[in-house]
Amino acid sequence: MSDVLELVDVSVVREGRALVDQVSWSVKEGERWVILGPNGAGKTTLLNVASSYLFPSKGSASILGEQLGRVDVFDLRPRIGIAGIALADKLPRSQTVLQTVLTAAYGMTASWREDYDDIDEQRARAFLDRLGMNEYLDRKFGTLSEGERKRTLIARAMMTDPELLLLDEPAAGLDLGGREDLVRRLGRLARDPYAPSMIMVTHHVEEIPPGFTHVLMIRQGKVLAAGPLDLELTSSNLSHCFGLPLIVDRNGNDRWTAQGLPLK
Ligand SMILES: Nc1ncnc2c1ncn2[C@@H]1O[C@H](COP(=O)(O)OP(=O)(O)OP(=O)(O)O)[C@@H](O)[C@H]1O
Protein backbone atom coordinates (compact mmCIF):
# COMPACT_ATOMS: atom_id res chain seq x y z
CA MET A 1 0.00 0.00 0.00
CA SER A 2 1.36 3.41 -0.92
CA ASP A 3 1.50 6.39 1.39
CA VAL A 4 -1.27 8.94 1.15
CA LEU A 5 0.32 11.08 3.83
CA GLU A 6 3.76 10.84 5.36
CA LEU A 7 4.79 13.34 8.02
CA VAL A 8 8.27 13.05 9.49
CA ASP A 9 9.12 15.12 12.57
CA VAL A 10 6.73 17.87 11.48
CA SER A 11 6.51 20.97 13.66
CA VAL A 12 4.49 24.09 13.01
CA VAL A 13 5.86 26.97 15.06
CA ARG A 14 4.08 30.31 15.53
CA GLU A 15 5.29 33.09 17.82
CA GLY A 16 7.87 30.74 19.31
CA ARG A 17 5.28 28.09 20.18
CA ALA A 18 4.98 24.67 18.55
CA LEU A 19 1.31 24.27 17.59
CA VAL A 20 2.24 20.90 16.13
CA ASP A 21 5.27 19.39 17.79
CA GLN A 22 7.50 16.82 16.05
CA VAL A 23 4.67 14.79 14.60
CA SER A 24 5.49 11.67 12.60
CA TRP A 25 2.46 10.05 11.02
CA SER A 26 1.78 7.84 8.07
CA VAL A 27 -1.57 7.28 6.34
CA LYS A 28 -1.78 4.48 3.80
CA GLU A 29 -4.12 4.15 0.85
CA GLY A 30 -7.63 3.07 1.82
CA GLU A 31 -7.26 3.93 5.51
CA ARG A 32 -9.86 6.09 7.25
CA TRP A 33 -8.39 8.11 10.11
CA VAL A 34 -10.02 10.11 12.84
CA ILE A 35 -8.03 12.83 14.62
CA LEU A 36 -9.17 13.28 18.21
CA GLY A 37 -8.04 15.88 20.71
CA PRO A 38 -9.19 18.68 22.98
CA ASN A 39 -9.70 22.31 21.91
CA GLY A 40 -6.47 23.91 20.81
CA ALA A 41 -4.62 20.58 20.52
CA GLY A 42 -3.45 21.28 16.95
CA LYS A 43 -5.95 19.15 15.00
CA THR A 44 -6.88 21.79 12.41
CA THR A 45 -3.24 22.84 12.09
CA LEU A 46 -2.37 19.23 11.25
CA LEU A 47 -5.23 19.06 8.75
CA ASN A 48 -3.98 22.28 7.15
CA VAL A 49 -0.60 20.62 6.60
CA ALA A 50 -2.32 17.52 5.17
CA SER A 51 -4.24 19.76 2.75
CA SER A 52 -1.01 21.49 1.57
CA TYR A 53 -2.27 24.90 2.74
CA LEU A 54 0.28 25.07 5.57
CA PHE A 55 3.95 24.22 5.25
CA PRO A 56 5.77 22.74 8.25
CA SER A 57 8.30 24.98 10.02
CA LYS A 58 10.42 21.86 10.54
CA GLY A 59 10.35 18.30 9.26
CA SER A 60 8.98 16.97 5.99
CA ALA A 61 5.47 16.34 4.73
CA SER A 62 4.58 14.23 1.70
CA ILE A 63 1.03 14.19 0.41
CA LEU A 64 -0.04 11.66 -2.21
CA GLY A 65 3.61 10.91 -2.87
CA GLU A 66 4.60 14.57 -3.38
CA GLN A 67 6.80 16.38 -0.90
CA LEU A 68 5.66 19.83 0.20
CA GLY A 69 8.21 22.38 -0.93
CA ARG A 70 9.15 20.31 -4.00
CA VAL A 71 5.76 20.14 -5.69
CA ASP A 72 3.57 22.80 -7.24
CA VAL A 73 0.69 22.84 -4.74
CA PHE A 74 -1.66 23.94 -7.50
CA ASP A 75 -1.13 20.53 -9.13
CA LEU A 76 -1.58 18.76 -5.81
CA ARG A 77 -4.66 20.51 -4.43
CA PRO A 78 -7.20 19.21 -6.95
CA ARG A 79 -6.28 15.71 -5.72
CA ILE A 80 -7.40 16.60 -2.19
CA GLY A 81 -11.03 17.12 -1.17
CA ILE A 82 -11.63 19.39 1.81
CA ALA A 83 -14.86 19.93 3.73
CA GLY A 84 -14.46 22.38 6.58
CA ILE A 85 -15.88 25.44 8.20
CA ALA A 86 -13.20 27.75 6.79
CA LEU A 87 -14.24 26.88 3.25
CA ALA A 88 -17.95 27.42 3.90
CA ASP A 89 -17.24 31.08 4.67
CA LYS A 90 -15.57 31.57 1.27
CA LEU A 91 -18.47 30.20 -0.76
CA PRO A 92 -21.00 32.66 -2.14
CA ARG A 93 -24.23 32.55 -0.15
CA SER A 94 -26.31 33.39 -3.22
CA GLN A 95 -25.22 30.36 -5.28
CA THR A 96 -27.55 27.40 -5.38
CA VAL A 97 -26.61 24.12 -3.77
CA LEU A 98 -26.07 22.55 -7.20
CA GLN A 99 -23.87 25.45 -8.32
CA THR A 100 -21.89 25.28 -5.08
CA VAL A 101 -21.01 21.64 -5.74
CA LEU A 102 -20.46 22.10 -9.48
CA THR A 103 -17.97 24.95 -9.14
CA ALA A 104 -15.62 22.56 -7.30
CA ALA A 105 -15.07 20.66 -10.54
CA TYR A 106 -13.37 23.77 -11.89
CA GLY A 107 -11.36 24.62 -8.78
CA MET A 108 -13.38 27.72 -8.02
CA THR A 109 -15.27 29.06 -5.09
CA ALA A 110 -17.32 31.52 -7.13
CA SER A 111 -17.86 32.55 -10.77
CA TRP A 112 -20.83 30.56 -11.90
CA ARG A 113 -20.59 29.91 -15.66
CA GLU A 114 -23.28 28.58 -17.91
CA ASP A 115 -21.22 26.05 -19.86
CA TYR A 116 -20.57 23.30 -17.35
CA ASP A 117 -20.43 19.86 -18.89
CA ASP A 118 -23.48 17.66 -18.53
CA ILE A 119 -21.33 14.95 -17.10
CA ASP A 120 -20.20 17.26 -14.29
CA GLU A 121 -23.76 18.24 -13.52
CA GLN A 122 -24.74 14.58 -13.37
CA ARG A 123 -21.89 13.88 -10.96
CA ALA A 124 -22.83 16.85 -8.76
CA ARG A 125 -26.43 15.62 -8.63
CA ALA A 126 -25.29 12.09 -7.80
CA PHE A 127 -23.07 13.24 -4.91
CA LEU A 128 -25.83 15.47 -3.55
CA ASP A 129 -28.25 12.56 -3.79
CA ARG A 130 -25.85 10.35 -1.81
CA LEU A 131 -25.71 13.00 0.89
CA GLY A 132 -29.50 13.32 1.00
CA MET A 133 -29.56 16.79 -0.60
CA ASN A 134 -31.74 15.92 -3.57
CA GLU A 135 -34.53 18.26 -2.58
CA TYR A 136 -32.26 21.25 -2.03
CA LEU A 137 -30.59 21.56 -5.45
CA ASP A 138 -32.02 25.02 -6.18
CA ARG A 139 -31.82 26.39 -2.65
CA LYS A 140 -29.35 29.22 -2.00
CA PHE A 141 -26.30 27.95 -0.11
CA GLY A 142 -26.59 30.83 2.36
CA THR A 143 -30.07 29.75 3.44
CA LEU A 144 -29.12 26.19 4.41
CA SER A 145 -29.14 24.90 7.95
CA GLU A 146 -25.84 23.84 9.50
CA GLY A 147 -26.46 20.15 8.72
CA GLU A 148 -27.53 20.83 5.13
CA ARG A 149 -24.50 23.03 4.61
CA LYS A 150 -22.18 20.33 5.92
CA ARG A 151 -23.68 17.69 3.64
CA THR A 152 -23.33 20.08 0.67
CA LEU A 153 -19.67 20.68 1.51
CA ILE A 154 -18.95 16.96 1.59
CA ALA A 155 -20.63 16.50 -1.80
CA ARG A 156 -18.53 19.43 -3.04
CA ALA A 157 -15.32 17.89 -1.70
CA MET A 158 -16.08 14.66 -3.61
CA MET A 159 -16.58 16.50 -6.89
CA THR A 160 -12.91 16.53 -7.95
CA ASP A 161 -12.71 12.77 -7.41
CA PRO A 162 -10.07 13.30 -4.71
CA GLU A 163 -7.56 10.68 -3.64
CA LEU A 164 -7.67 12.09 -0.12
CA LEU A 165 -10.75 13.49 1.62
CA LEU A 166 -10.29 15.76 4.65
CA LEU A 167 -13.26 16.45 6.94
CA ASP A 168 -12.90 19.08 9.65
CA GLU A 169 -15.51 18.51 12.37
CA PRO A 170 -18.26 17.51 9.93
CA ALA A 171 -20.79 16.88 12.72
CA ALA A 172 -20.09 19.98 14.82
CA GLY A 173 -23.22 21.99 15.51
CA LEU A 174 -25.63 19.31 14.33
CA ASP A 175 -28.56 18.11 16.42
CA LEU A 176 -28.82 14.44 17.36
CA GLY A 177 -30.79 13.49 14.24
CA GLY A 178 -28.49 15.48 11.98
CA ARG A 179 -25.41 13.94 13.54
CA GLU A 180 -26.73 10.41 13.24
CA ASP A 181 -27.78 10.99 9.66
CA LEU A 182 -24.33 12.31 8.77
CA VAL A 183 -22.48 9.56 10.65
CA ARG A 184 -24.48 6.93 8.76
CA ARG A 185 -23.75 8.58 5.43
CA LEU A 186 -20.05 8.94 6.23
CA GLY A 187 -20.07 5.31 7.37
CA ARG A 188 -21.41 4.25 3.99
CA LEU A 189 -18.72 6.30 2.28
CA ALA A 190 -16.00 4.90 4.57
CA ARG A 191 -17.00 1.35 3.66
CA ASP A 192 -17.01 2.03 -0.07
CA PRO A 193 -13.79 0.51 -1.42
CA TYR A 194 -13.76 3.09 -4.23
CA ALA A 195 -14.02 6.04 -1.84
CA PRO A 196 -10.85 8.06 -1.21
CA SER A 197 -8.64 7.75 1.83
CA MET A 198 -10.21 9.83 4.57
CA ILE A 199 -9.06 11.91 7.54
CA MET A 200 -11.70 13.37 9.86
CA VAL A 201 -11.18 15.74 12.77
CA THR A 202 -13.62 15.48 15.65
CA HIS A 203 -13.95 16.13 19.38
CA HIS A 204 -16.34 13.25 20.04
CA VAL A 205 -15.90 9.50 19.70
CA GLU A 206 -19.68 9.28 19.10
CA GLU A 207 -19.06 10.95 15.74
CA ILE A 208 -16.66 8.27 14.46
CA PRO A 209 -18.45 6.65 11.51
CA PRO A 210 -18.48 2.86 11.23
CA GLY A 211 -15.81 1.79 8.77
CA PHE A 212 -13.21 4.21 10.08
CA THR A 213 -10.04 2.26 10.76
CA HIS A 214 -7.45 4.36 12.58
CA VAL A 215 -7.14 7.07 15.23
CA LEU A 216 -4.55 9.73 15.93
CA MET A 217 -4.81 11.38 19.34
CA ILE A 218 -3.15 14.73 19.84
CA ARG A 219 -2.71 16.95 22.86
CA GLN A 220 -0.76 20.21 23.01
CA GLY A 221 0.63 19.57 19.54
CA LYS A 222 2.06 16.16 20.38
CA VAL A 223 0.83 12.78 19.23
CA LEU A 224 -0.23 10.62 22.16
CA ALA A 225 -1.38 7.60 20.20
CA ALA A 226 -1.70 6.63 16.55
CA GLY A 227 -2.83 3.35 15.05
CA PRO A 228 -5.82 1.04 14.53
CA LEU A 229 -8.94 2.10 16.43
CA ASP A 230 -9.20 -1.36 18.04
CA LEU A 231 -5.80 -0.98 19.61
CA GLU A 232 -5.49 2.72 20.34
CA LEU A 233 -8.95 4.03 21.20
CA THR A 234 -8.73 2.87 24.80
CA SER A 235 -10.02 4.45 28.02
CA SER A 236 -6.45 5.03 29.12
CA ASN A 237 -5.39 6.82 25.91
CA LEU A 238 -8.58 8.89 25.72
CA SER A 239 -8.31 9.92 29.39
CA HIS A 240 -4.73 11.00 28.82
CA CYS A 241 -5.72 12.90 25.69
CA PHE A 242 -8.60 14.87 27.26
CA GLY A 243 -7.04 15.16 30.73
CA LEU A 244 -9.74 13.48 32.82
CA PRO A 245 -10.82 9.92 33.60
CA LEU A 246 -12.94 8.57 30.73
CA ILE A 247 -14.46 5.20 29.95
CA VAL A 248 -14.68 4.36 26.29
CA ASP A 249 -16.94 1.68 24.86
CA ARG A 250 -17.74 0.24 21.44
CA ASN A 251 -21.13 -1.24 20.62
CA GLY A 252 -22.08 -4.00 18.20
CA ASN A 253 -22.84 -1.50 15.43
CA ASP A 254 -19.24 -0.35 15.32
CA ARG A 255 -20.05 2.89 17.14
CA TRP A 256 -18.12 4.40 20.03
CA THR A 257 -19.14 6.19 23.23
CA ALA A 258 -17.16 7.87 25.99
CA GLN A 259 -18.20 9.00 29.46
CA GLY A 260 -16.47 10.73 32.31
CA LEU A 261 -16.29 8.83 35.59
CA PRO A 262 -18.65 10.26 38.26
CA LEU A 263 -17.10 12.72 40.71
CA LYS A 264 -16.49 11.22 44.17
N1 LIG B 1 -1.48 31.67 13.27
C1 LIG B 1 -1.42 31.34 14.55
N2 LIG B 1 -0.62 32.00 15.41
C2 LIG B 1 -0.55 31.66 16.71
N3 LIG B 1 -1.26 30.66 17.26
C3 LIG B 1 -2.09 29.98 16.46
C4 LIG B 1 -2.22 30.26 15.08
N4 LIG B 1 -3.12 29.41 14.55
C5 LIG B 1 -3.52 28.61 15.56
N5 LIG B 1 -2.92 28.95 16.71
C6 LIG B 1 -3.08 28.29 18.02
O1 LIG B 1 -2.63 26.95 17.83
C7 LIG B 1 -3.33 26.07 18.68
C8 LIG B 1 -3.86 24.91 17.87
O2 LIG B 1 -4.88 25.39 17.04
P1 LIG B 1 -5.78 24.41 16.17
O3 LIG B 1 -6.82 25.23 15.49
O4 LIG B 1 -4.91 23.56 15.31
O5 LIG B 1 -6.41 23.50 17.31
P2 LIG B 1 -7.62 22.48 17.24
O6 LIG B 1 -7.14 21.23 17.90
O7 LIG B 1 -8.13 22.36 15.86
O8 LIG B 1 -8.65 23.22 18.19
P3 LIG B 1 -10.27 23.25 18.23
O9 LIG B 1 -10.67 21.88 18.66
O10 LIG B 1 -10.56 24.26 19.27
O11 LIG B 1 -10.76 23.61 16.87
C9 LIG B 1 -4.40 26.90 19.37
O12 LIG B 1 -3.93 27.22 20.67
C10 LIG B 1 -4.50 28.15 18.51
O13 LIG B 1 -4.86 29.28 19.27
Side-chain angles (χ1 to χ4, degrees):
M1 266 197 272
S2 53
D3 278 336
V4 167
L5 183 71
E6 177 80 37
L7 306 186
V8 180
D9 277 336
V10 162
S11 296
V12 175
V13 181
R14 294 285 181 275
E15 296 162 12
R17 187 178 143 227
L19 313 184
V20 163
D21 200 357
Q22 294 188 305
V23 167
S24 293
W25 178 31
S26 166
V27 173
K28 309 268 187 243
E29 210 177 297
E31 291 177 350
R32 282 88 170 89
W33 282 76
V34 57
I35 303 179
L36 274 174
N39 288 129
K43 302 182 294 299
T44 299
T45 307
L46 207 51
L47 212 62
N48 288 341
V49 174
S51 66
S52 83
Y53 280 84
L54 188 65
F55 280 41
S57 317
K58 290 182 205 148
S60 77
S62 296
I63 308 166
L64 300 169
E66 305 287 352
Q67 190 173 340
L68 282 189
R70 293 196 190 157
V71 61
D72 184 343
V73 288
F74 293 101
D75 291 334
L76 185 57
R77 284 177 189 162
R79 300 170 63 194
I80 306 167
I82 309 168
I85 303 150
L87 177 67
D89 294 340
K90 292 197 190 105
L91 295 169
R93 294 172 56 83
S94 58
Q95 274 189 358
T96 68
V97 165
L98 182 62
Q99 289 168 346
T100 302
V101 173
L102 249 177
T103 52
Y106 301 81
M108 297 183 297
T109 51
S111 320
W112 171 245
R113 326 178 316 202
E114 294 299 332
D115 56 344
Y116 288 101
D117 288 343
D118 280 351
I119 186 86
D120 288 324
E121 182 163 333
Q122 281 168 24
R123 291 181 71 240
R125 286 175 182 272
F127 287 128
L128 282 162
D129 184 40
R130 255 165 104 180
L131 272 304
M133 290 297 294
N134 224 355
E135 287 165 22
Y136 298 82
L137 301 181
D138 296 323
R139 273 279 290 283
K140 301 247 184 291
F141 182 69
T143 68
L144 296 177
S145 78
E146 193 68 27
E148 293 154 0
R149 192 170 315 159
K150 293 212 147 115
R151 285 187 275 148
T152 304
L153 289 178
I154 295 169
R156 186 176 200 278
M158 296 291 293
M159 208 37 211
T160 56
D161 211 359
E163 292 156 70
L164 172 61
L165 179 62
L166 305 175
L167 304 163
D168 194 1
E169 297 185 35
L174 302 191
D175 68 22
L176 182 60
R179 179 190 85 184
E180 288 304 298
D181 180 60
L182 187 69
V183 167
R184 282 190 313 182
R185 289 177 196 282
L186 289 177
R188 195 163 61 181
L189 194 60
R191 287 189 163 129
D192 179 348
Y194 296 105
S197 303
M198 295 164 76
I199 302 174
M200 178 183 118
V201 166
T202 182
H203 293 114
H204 302 290
V205 300
E206 288 77 4
E207 293 173 2
I208 301 174
F212 268 61
T213 58
H214 289 70
V215 63
L216 179 133
M217 284 188 219
I218 183 170
R219 180 178 172 85
Q220 294 178 345
K222 287 189 186 296
V223 172
L224 296 182
L229 276 164
D230 298 340
L231 296 179
E232 301 295 345
L233 189 44
T234 60
S235 299
S236 162
N237 281 345
L238 201 68
S239 303
H240 191 186
C241 185
F242 284 91
L244 81 170
L246 293 164
I247 301 287
V248 63
D249 204 7
R250 185 182 205 166
N251 72 21
N253 297 326
D254 206 12
R255 295 290 303 275
W256 299 83
T257 58
Q259 288 177 26
L261 286 178
L263 290 172
K264 287 184 185 146

